Amino acid sequence: GRIATLSSYRKRGFSTEIIRYLQDRHDCLAISSQDIRIDFYKKLGFKVVGKKYKDAGIWHQKMVYIK
């Protein structure tokens, strides 16, 4: 799935709350982050894995969170 926030609701912490909710309930999470969102996920404890790749013409990066 994807986390997408309507522009009128951005910068309110909703995506952060969703990720933290998942982190509280799982020991490991794996995601494919858009290149421009990598720093957001790093702040939440995710680590970069492997090389960047294109998906639908947009650069992505596999990332993992491990408690």
Side-chain angles (χ1 to χ4, degrees), residues 50-66:
K51 296 180 181 180
K52 291 181 185 177
Y53 60 95
K54 277 195 174 180
D55 182 7
I58 301 169
W59 285 104
H60 284 71
Q61 175 68 57
K62 182 175 180 183
M63 301 182 81
V64 296
Y65 168 82
I66 301 172

Side-chain angles (χ1 to χ4, degrees), residues 1-65:
R2 296 184 189 260
I3 296 176
T5 308
L6 292 172
S7 59
S8 58
Y9 287 93
R10 291 182 187 152
K11 302 293 183 184
R12 297 186 188 185
F14 295 129
S15 295
T16 299
E17 285 185 42
I18 292 168
I19 295 298
R20 288 192 175 140
Y21 175 89
L22 293 169
Q23 288 173 324
D24 288 345
R25 286 153 182 79
H26 300 278
D27 292 331
C28 180
L29 298 169
I31 62 166
S32 295
S33 170
Q34 287 185 357
D35 187 48
I36 61 171
R37 302 288 177 240
I38 291 172
D39 288 339
F40 167 77
Y41 288 107
K42 281 183 176 180
K43 290 176 186 174
L44 292 168
F46 284 82
K47 306 290 184 203
V48 169
V49 177
K51 296 180 181 180
K52 291 181 185 177
Y53 60 95
K54 277 195 174 180
D55 182 7
I58 301 169
W59 285 104
H60 284 71
Q61 175 68 57
K62 182 175 180 183
M63 301 182 81
V64 296
Y65 168 82

